[in-house]
């Protein structure tokens, strides 16, 4: 049920919230000469967050001349890695669902299906953890690189004390934050599914069949030892009774000899 229902659904949420993101920030440059000012400079960026390719024009507060700037950083590797794992996990979960429902006999034949499923589940669990951690770090760097207060520092006009530069609009990060959350949820889901897939393999069944045999052998050995000790105890008890009879017989004979002696005399 985890693979059929939750795995495809969580994978869709993971790559949709990351791969479909587009953000915007706005800053203002207020020059001494108001005609040179620009109070709404819009900067748009999106997945895969190659921020070095994002450019924007800002006034220099020196007449009508403007300069073209670029954002700093390229975070496409972590974001694309995360989306790739999400897409592959989604496709595999769909294939696994079809196999579980329509090809159950072929899945269990020669135990190959459960073993392959177990190995793939372990690999995807590890990849979800790595990709989610990498994307979480990449998202943190993206937030820093697109902070309006940081972008303002790139403008030469804002380095002049007479020019007032400020942030007007900050990007909304709720979608990307959700993608990181779903990344770790996918890791928990796939890691928890390892146990259920392991139970379908022959390894788990082999262990459960060996333990009752060992228990029966231990019980049989204990029963034999108990019977052996009881037999020894009975023999020792019988020997003890025989010794008692012998003592009583000797005692009776000695008593008779003693009493007959003075009578003869």
């Amino acid at each position: 049920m985890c693979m059929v229902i939750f795995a495809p659904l969580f994978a869709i949420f993971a790559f949709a919230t990351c791969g479909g993101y587009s953000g915007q920030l706005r800053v203002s440059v207020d020059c001494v000469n108001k005609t040179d000012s620009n109070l709404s400079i819009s900067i748009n960026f999106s997945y895969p967050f190659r921020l070095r390719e994002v450019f924007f024009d800002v006034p220099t507060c020196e007449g009508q001349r403007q300069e073209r700037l670029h954002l700093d950083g390229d975070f496409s590797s972590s974001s694309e890695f995360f989306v790739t794992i999400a897409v592959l996990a989604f496709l595999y979960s769909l294939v696994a669902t079809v196999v579980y429902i329509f090809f159950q006999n072929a899945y269990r034949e020669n135990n190959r299906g459960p073993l392959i499923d177990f190995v793939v589940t372990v690999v995807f669990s590890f990849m979800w953890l790595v990709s989610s951690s990498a994307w979480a770090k990449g998202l943190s760097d993206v937030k820093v690189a697109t902070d309006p207060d940081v972008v303002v520092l790139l403008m030469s006009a804002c380095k002049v004390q007479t020019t007032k530069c400020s942030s007007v609009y900050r990007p909304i990060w709720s979608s990307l934050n959700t993608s990181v959350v779903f990344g770790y949820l996918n890791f928990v889901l796939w890691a928890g599914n390892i146990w259920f897939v392991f139970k379908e393999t022959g390894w788990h069944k082999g262990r459960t069949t060996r333990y009752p045999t060992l228990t029966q052998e231990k019980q049989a050995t204990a029963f034999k030892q108990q019977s052996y000790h009881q037999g020894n105890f009975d023999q020792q008890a019988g020997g003890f009774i025989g010794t008692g009879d012998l003592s009583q017989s000797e005692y009776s004979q000695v008593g008779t000899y003693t009493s007959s002696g003075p009578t003869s005399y």
Side-chain angles (χ1 to χ4, degrees), residues 191-205:
N193 196 42
I194 292 177
W195 168 247
F196 297 100
V197 178
F198 177 75
K199 291 174 64 177
E200 298 295 328
T201 62
W203 301 329
H204 175 75
K205 296 179 181 178

Side-chain angles (χ1 to χ4, degrees), residues 159-180:
K159 298 177 182 179
V160 181
Q161 296 182 353
T162 56
T163 304
K164 297 180 181 179
C165 300
S166 60
S167 61
V168 178
Y169 181 80
R170 295 179 178 273
I172 299 176
W173 303 111
S174 58
S175 177
L176 295 182
N177 292 335
T178 303
S179 68
V180 174

Side-chain angles (χ1 to χ4, degrees), residues 12-236:
I12 290 175
F13 287 151
F15 70 74
T17 52
C18 179
Y21 178 83
S22 61
Q24 183 186 79
L25 63 100
R26 288 197 296 269
V27 295
S28 65
V29 178
D30 189 7
C31 304
V32 177
N33 187 0
K34 302 301 182 182
T35 57
D36 299 335
S37 301
N38 189 346
L39 303 181
S40 181
I41 302 173
S42 299
I43 305 172
N44 300 315
F45 62 96
S46 61
Y47 173 85
F49 307 104
R50 295 187 178 94
L51 300 183
R52 293 177 181 176
E53 300 178 359
V54 177
F55 61 89
F56 53 98
D57 297 327
V58 296
T60 59
C61 294
E62 296 177 356
Q64 298 296 326
R65 190 170 66 88
Q66 293 186 343
E67 62 177 347
R68 174 161 291 184
L69 300 176
H70 294 264
L71 295 178
D72 189 19
D74 186 355
F75 310 100
S76 59
S77 59
S78 60
S79 61
E80 289 177 341
F81 178 48
F82 178 79
V83 171
T84 300
I85 296 300
V87 172
L88 292 178
F90 170 73
L91 295 177
Y92 177 78
S93 61
L94 289 183
V95 174
T97 300
V98 174
V99 173
Y100 293 158
I101 297 176
F102 299 103
F103 302 97
Q104 188 64 230
N105 294 330
Y107 174 78
R108 298 182 180 277
E109 184 178 0
N110 297 327
N111 204 31
R112 293 181 180 179
L115 292 178
I116 295 174
D117 198 11
F118 174 76
V119 173
V120 174
T121 302
V122 172
V123 171
F124 267 112
S125 300
F126 177 74
M127 298 306 292
W128 270 118
L129 178 61
V130 174
S131 62
S132 299
S133 300
W135 171 228
K137 178 61 171 61
L139 176 58
S140 178
D141 295 337
V142 170
K143 291 180 179 180
V144 173
T146 57
D147 188 353
D149 296 333
V150 175
V151 174
V152 163
L153 299 177
L154 301 175
M155 305 176 187
S156 59
C158 296
K159 298 177 182 179
V160 181
Q161 296 182 353
T162 56
T163 304
K164 297 180 181 179
C165 300
S166 60
S167 61
V168 178
Y169 181 80
R170 295 179 178 273
I172 299 176
W173 303 111
S174 58
S175 177
L176 295 182
N177 292 335
T178 303
S179 68
V180 174
V181 172
F182 273 105
Y184 284 109
L185 285 178
N186 276 282
F187 162 70
V188 173
L189 178 65
W190 284 78
N193 196 42
I194 292 177
W195 168 247
F196 297 100
V197 178
F198 177 75
K199 291 174 64 177
E200 298 295 328
T201 62
W203 301 329
H204 175 75
K205 296 179 181 178
R207 293 179 61 187
T208 54
T209 55
R210 285 199 302 268
Y211 288 148
T213 304
L214 295 175
T215 304
Q216 292 175 0
E217 291 178 356
K218 291 180 179 180
Q219 291 178 354
T221 303
F223 178 76
K224 291 179 180 178
Q225 292 177 355
Q226 184 178 3
S227 300
Y228 176 75
H229 290 308
Q230 288 179 355
N232 291 337
F233 179 77
D234 293 339
Q235 292 177 0
Q236 292 176 1

